[in-house]
Amino acid sequence: LRMLALADSSLIIKVDGREADQYKLYDGLDLTWQIKQKVNVEFDASDVARFWLNGQEIDITGYESFELNPAVE
């Protein structure tokens, strides 16, 4: 999962059932996480960041959180 921040904000992400991590976002911050089973993401507003999973952009317009369960190959 890749995230590119577009504005100052905050993000909470929980990957594969591990303890949640909180990040302070700023314009241009680019982060990547390896997801094996599930990810939960919470943020202040849908316009603070863009997300991609395996190169495909995820449309989060209007959402303040999302959960993904990538297919295990």
Side-chain angles (χ1 to χ4, degrees), residues 29-42:
L29 178 65
D30 196 338
L31 297 173
T32 304
W33 299 271
Q34 292 292 328
I35 312 300
K36 292 182 180 168
Q37 297 171 337
K38 181 169 82 170
V39 62
N40 294 85
V41 182
E42 297 176 33

Side-chain angles (χ1 to χ4, degrees), residues 11-52:
L11 172 101
I12 299 171
I13 185 167
K14 187 172 183 178
V15 178
D16 294 334
R18 295 192 299 258
E19 196 72 28
D21 290 315
Q22 186 164 355
Y23 294 89
K24 292 281 186 199
L25 304 184
Y26 57 86
D27 189 17
L29 178 65
D30 196 338
L31 297 173
T32 304
W33 299 271
Q34 292 292 328
I35 312 300
K36 292 182 180 168
Q37 297 171 337
K38 181 169 82 170
V39 62
N40 294 85
V41 182
E42 297 176 33
F43 37 90
D44 291 334
S46 63
D47 59 352
V48 299
R50 294 172 64 191
F51 293 87
W52 293 264

